[in-house]
Amino acid sequence: MYQLIVFLPLVASLVAGLFRNQIGTKAAQWVTTSLVGVSAVLSWVAFFSVGFGSGTTHVPIANWLTVGSLNIDWAFRVDTLTAVMFVVVNTVSLLVHTYSCGYMEEDPHRPRFFAYLSLFTFAMLMLVTADNLVQMFFGWEGVGLASYLLIGFWYERPSANAAAIKAFVVNRVGDFGFSLGIFLVFVLTGSVSFDAIFAAAPGLADKSFHAFGITGHALTIACLLLFMGAMGKSAQFLLHTWLPDAMEGPTPVSALIHAATMVTAGVVMVARLSPLFEYAPHALNFVVLIGGTTAFFAATVGLVQNDIKRVIAYSTCSQLGYMFVALGVGAYGAAVFHLFTHAFFKALLFLGAGSVIHAMHHEQDMRKMGKGLWRKIPITFGMMLVGTLALTGFPPFAGYFSKDAIIEAAYVSHRPAALYGFVMTVIAAGLTSFYSWRLVFLTFFDVPRQIEGATEDRDHNAHDEPVGGNQHAHAHAQAADDLHGHAVHDDHGHAHHHEPHESPNAMLVPLYVLAVGALVAGFAFKHYFIGEGAEGFWKETLFFGPNNHVMHDMEHDVPFLIGILPTIMMALGFLVSLYMYVLAPGTAQRLAERNRALYLFLLNKWYFDELYNVLFVKPAFWLGRLFWKGGDGKIIDGLGPDGVASAVLAGSSRVVKIQTGFVFHYAFAMMLGVAAFITWYLVGGIH
């Protein structure tokens, strides 16, 4: 069964990718969707059989690599964490495949698109089933490759190419740290197998590591390097800049990447290695700091974005910050619980946004929407409302249980950085509610369209330079999108004068399924993920050591006010948004004009793209041109192949002049040669 769950998406990808011309577009869609569907059904079977039954199962596939004492097997580690990720990855992937049948109907390259989706699914399954660090790294890089292909799917567009390259390069920064962490773990434990690593972890609690003249706590260094990979893949603060640009891909790609798969890979990795991180408390404090900062940072940026997909993308970034706060304070079950619930309501929001874009003939600027849109697409509006309620934490929707649990865990934790994580997540809860309801009001209701005026001149400020590694083409395309109020990202050629219309059933059915998950996933599974049944549910999957009391303290030591604080912040965010955009329209515009510097600071995403452009991109281009034109062109080619060739040509051009064609010239040359030979013979003979 487990082999089928993992390999069916790979088979689907190969069939659709290699035989698309033979089987046709419709068959490619049916093959990929059907095989991923079978994998999704089997995933739910595995979820209940593993989570509520058997413990960890090892499924050997083949010997992968043997070098001396290093033996790496290709095997599946199937435990509760794996089973949860089976459900999340395959369920969302199936719904995205189904949704894409309607959304991508006009695209001529659908077989290639579905092949990429299935390949992405397989790579993520390889990551979550890994039984050792090398196999995890294989899946990790496979996800990076597939995301590059999906983000740059419309490769004819410079903006899509630039976004794909940016995502790939930024993730390589994190992956470099991840690979160093794997090397260090192998040096410390002599193994890359999870069982061997976890068994060796207690003995490494006091071990130091010396490198480059610096001595530090070995596990802290290893865990910080491993977490560096998580920061890149999960778009955490400082390595987050690729995430909003990933919106250049088709909307179903956004749902797949940002809801359940790629961006959650870092969370899965830290949760999987929790027995290692527990013996590196300083590394866990750093995880809390980064997670809390990301939750706050992304929420502030989401307050003022105008592209509907970018608002949801920054929401994803913020919610991932919540998950890392939970991991850092030791509430690993709460982190995975929020990953589980977040997959449903965030995929619902992204696919709902895609339905809105489809209805608006591929318009993405919320300032161009509204006008009673909720009356014209009531089903999409209802689904977006469910996703918004779940995201903001309205009881009894899923986000209420998982997000509140993280805030409570941060409050009861005794880690030094926990208070910072608690404060940041509470503030982010209010900001999340504000920008979520702002999205609803601007998109669906009759609020004035000149909200937060004077924004169009910002686009030139923000995008005149290459941003964080993107080329000028991407910058100008994005500026044009914002300025003219429509984004070319998902434009399949619809005319813009048609009336908004509801999406086809192929796009609506996945929304119904995700809405059910966004409603019931919280209260249905809370008892098992973070309640009294947690230890029996997780078994030996996550760390429940003697020094980790946070799960117990969440049940008994949370004051009533702390318990309702997230709900209070959610209500405040809603009321402020309601007042600024519905009850007193124009308030947001006046506030933005009075605080223009702050407004532009948030609108330009804290100027990280511009900062990275100055610090890294321009120096990298300068260095590249120096090595290319100066080093390679002038020195290597100039003195090497090109220089030798030029010297030969110059010499031959002179020597060829001897060939005059006159016999007396040749006779004279022969006489000189004979005279020289006789002279050499006579002189040589004297000696």
Side-chain angles (χ1 to χ4, degrees):
M1 177 175 70
Y2 302 123
Q3 291 93 330
L4 289 176
I5 293 174
V6 175
F7 289 115
L8 282 179
L10 176 62
V11 173
S13 176
L14 293 174
V15 171
L18 299 178
F19 304 104
R20 59 181 181 271
N21 294 329
Q22 288 78 14
I23 64 176
T25 299
K26 289 291 184 182
Q29 291 181 187
W30 277 105
V31 167
T32 53
T33 306
S34 300
L35 292 182
V36 172
V38 173
S39 184
V41 171
L42 294 176
S43 296
W44 280 98
V45 175
F47 174 74
F48 287 104
S49 64
V50 175
F52 301 96
S54 62
T56 301
T57 302
H58 295 271
V59 182
I61 303 298
N63 177 259
W64 196 346
L65 180 68
T66 300
V67 180
S69 61
L70 175 62
N71 183 59
I72 302 174
D73 289 325
W74 186 6
F76 298 157
R77 181 187 184 91
V78 182
D79 54 16
T80 308
L81 179 60
T82 308
V84 169
M85 293 309 299
F86 273 164
V87 166
V88 169
V89 173
N90 283 319
T91 301
V92 174
S93 180
L94 170 62
L95 297 174
V96 167
H97 276 75
T98 305
Y99 181 92
S100 299
C101 292
Y103 190 85
M104 301 293 289
E105 186 177 7
E106 300 173 18
D107 195 285
H109 304 292
R110 277 172 288 167
R112 178 166 60 88
F113 179 75
F114 280 85
Y116 289 169
L117 288 181
S118 297
L119 177 64
F120 190 103
T121 305
F122 166 72
M124 190 66 193
L125 293 173
M126 282 294 295
L127 191 157
V128 301
T129 57
D131 192 42
N132 57 72
L133 286 170
V134 174
Q135 185 180 333
M136 176 177 278
F137 191 75
F138 173 80
W140 193 274
E141 294 303 307
V143 168
L145 170 63
S147 67
Y148 170 82
L149 296 173
L150 287 168
I151 294 169
F153 177 72
W154 289 317
Y155 57 84
E156 303 92 344
R157 299 173 180 171
S159 56
N161 282 330
I165 292 171
K166 183 176 181 178
F168 198 80
V169 170
V170 173
N171 273 278
R172 295 292 74 71
V173 176
D175 294 352
F176 176 69
F178 187 30
S179 59
L180 290 180
I182 294 174
F183 300 154
L184 181 53
V185 169
F186 176 71
V187 169
L188 295 174
T189 64
S191 177
V192 293
S193 171
F194 289 145
D195 288 336
I197 292 169
F198 299 159
L204 299 173
D206 300 318
K207 187 177 180 63
S208 297
F209 183 74
H210 183 81
F212 305 110
I214 301 173
T215 302
H217 185 247
L219 283 184
T220 298
I221 298 172
C223 290
L224 287 175
L225 289 170
L226 293 169
F227 180 62
M228 186 175 171
M231 288 175 64
K233 198 68 73 182
S234 296
Q236 291 300 282
F237 187 69
L238 301 179
L239 292 179
H240 64 277
T241 53
W242 66 269
L243 187 69
D245 287 6
M247 297 299 102
E248 291 290 340
T251 297
V253 173
S254 303
L256 191 62
I257 290 178
H258 298 118
T261 51
M262 178 173 173
V263 293
T264 61
V267 179
V268 173
M269 184 263 283
V270 177
R272 171 68 74 204
L273 299 177
S274 58
L276 206 62
F277 275 83
E278 275 295 317
Y279 293 98
H282 295 303
L284 286 175
N285 280 318
F286 183 74
V287 172
V288 176
L289 290 174
I290 292 294
T293 304
T294 304
F296 173 76
F297 155 76
T300 61
V301 175
L303 296 175
V304 296
Q305 298 301 307
N306 297 309
D307 186 309
I308 186 172
K309 286 172 64 176
R310 285 178 179 260
V311 174
I312 303 173
Y314 278 108
S315 169
T316 299
C317 191
S318 182
Q319 297 305 304
L320 288 164
Y322 275 88
M323 298 177 205
F324 281 108
V325 168
L327 293 169
V329 300
Y332 303 107
V336 181
F337 186 34
H338 195 48
L339 184 159
F340 181 75
T341 60
H342 175 265
F344 291 105
F345 61 74
K346 189 52 59 70
L348 176 60
L349 285 171
F350 266 117
L351 296 184
S355 184
V356 171
I357 294 167
H358 184 271
M360 295 296 293
H361 308 290
H362 305 284
E363 175 65 70
Q364 293 185 202
D365 194 323
M366 296 185 296
R367 294 169 295 182
K368 300 284 183 178
M369 299 179 186
K371 305 173 185 177
L373 186 61
W374 70 273
R375 298 186 188 91
K376 300 172 184 176
I377 50 172
I379 297 176
T380 298
F381 168 67
M383 297 299 98
M384 289 288 286
L385 203 58
V386 171
T388 300
L389 291 169
L391 171 61
T392 57
F394 187 86
F397 291 86
Y400 167 74
F401 296 96
S402 58
K403 188 161 68 173
D404 288 18
I406 292 174
I407 294 175
E408 293 172 5
Y411 176 79
V412 301
S413 174
H414 300 296
R415 298 199 190 280
L419 179 60
Y420 175 80
F422 170 74
V423 172
M424 290 294 101
T425 51
V426 168
I427 296 174
L431 299 179
T432 300
S433 181
F434 176 86
Y435 68 65
S436 297
W437 289 108
R438 172 181 178 267
L439 182 150
V440 171
F441 296 144
L442 286 178
T443 302
F444 294 103
F445 290 93
D446 294 310
V447 299
R449 295 297 93 194
Q450 295 301 318
I451 296 297
E452 296 164 19
T455 62
E456 293 177 345
D457 59 349
R458 151 264 174 191
D459 299 298
H460 299 291
N461 296 333
H463 296 294
D464 279 346
E465 298 292 335
V467 285
N470 285 1
Q471 304 298 318
H472 284 281
H474 170 61
H476 294 310
Q478 183 64 47
D481 293 346
D482 291 345
L483 182 60
H484 297 297
H486 72 275
V488 298
H489 309 78
D490 291 331
D491 189 354
H492 296 172
H494 283 287
H496 285 257
H497 61 273
H498 293 166
E499 275 294 305
H501 55 86
E502 193 63 87
S503 300
N505 286 330
M507 295 172 61
L508 294 179
V509 170
L511 299 185
Y512 302 149
V513 177
L514 291 168
V516 172
L519 177 60
V520 307
F523 63 79
F525 294 102
K526 177 186 176 183
H527 172 76
Y528 304 104
F529 277 82
I530 57 174
E532 294 179 357
E535 290 199 38
F537 178 72
W538 291 112
K539 305 175 183 68
E540 72 276 16
T541 302
L542 299 181
F543 189 85
F544 291 96
N547 298 320
N548 190 352
H549 304 292
V550 66
M551 301 295 285
H552 176 270
D553 294 343
M554 284 169 57
E555 293 288 326
H556 303 91
D557 296 342
V558 178
F560 174 76
L561 180 60
I562 298 299
I564 65 170
L565 186 57
T567 305
I568 294 173
M569 296 300 292
M570 177 269 298
L572 285 175
F574 167 75
L575 293 174
V576 172
S577 184
L578 180 69
Y579 174 79
M580 293 179 67
Y581 291 96
V582 179
L583 302 180
T587 303
Q589 181 182 7
R590 292 190 294 273
L591 189 63
E593 290 172 350
R594 284 198 300 268
N595 302 276
R596 184 167 178 78
L598 176 61
Y599 175 67
L600 290 176
F601 178 71
L602 298 180
L603 199 61
N604 287 278
K605 301 159 287 189
W606 292 26
Y607 292 104
F608 268 105
D609 283 328
E610 290 75 9
L611 178 64
Y612 286 177
N613 184 52
V614 172
L615 294 179
F616 303 115
V617 179
K618 285 185 176 179
F621 274 105
W622 176 84
L623 193 62
R625 291 191 187 97
L626 176 65
F627 287 145
W628 166 34
K629 295 185 177 180
D632 188 44
K634 293 183 179 179
I635 299 176
I636 297 176
D637 285 345
L639 300 179
D642 290 348
V644 172
S646 298
V648 170
L649 286 173
S652 62
S653 64
R654 291 182 176 89
V655 172
V656 76
K657 294 178 181 178
I658 300 174
Q659 306 294 325
T660 63
F662 295 109
V663 175
F664 65 87
H665 284 170
Y666 300 148
F668 180 69
M670 292 173 63
M671 290 175 61
L672 290 177
V674 171
F677 176 75
I678 293 172
T679 302
W680 172 82
Y681 179 77
L682 293 174
V683 173
I686 294 173
H687 296 285

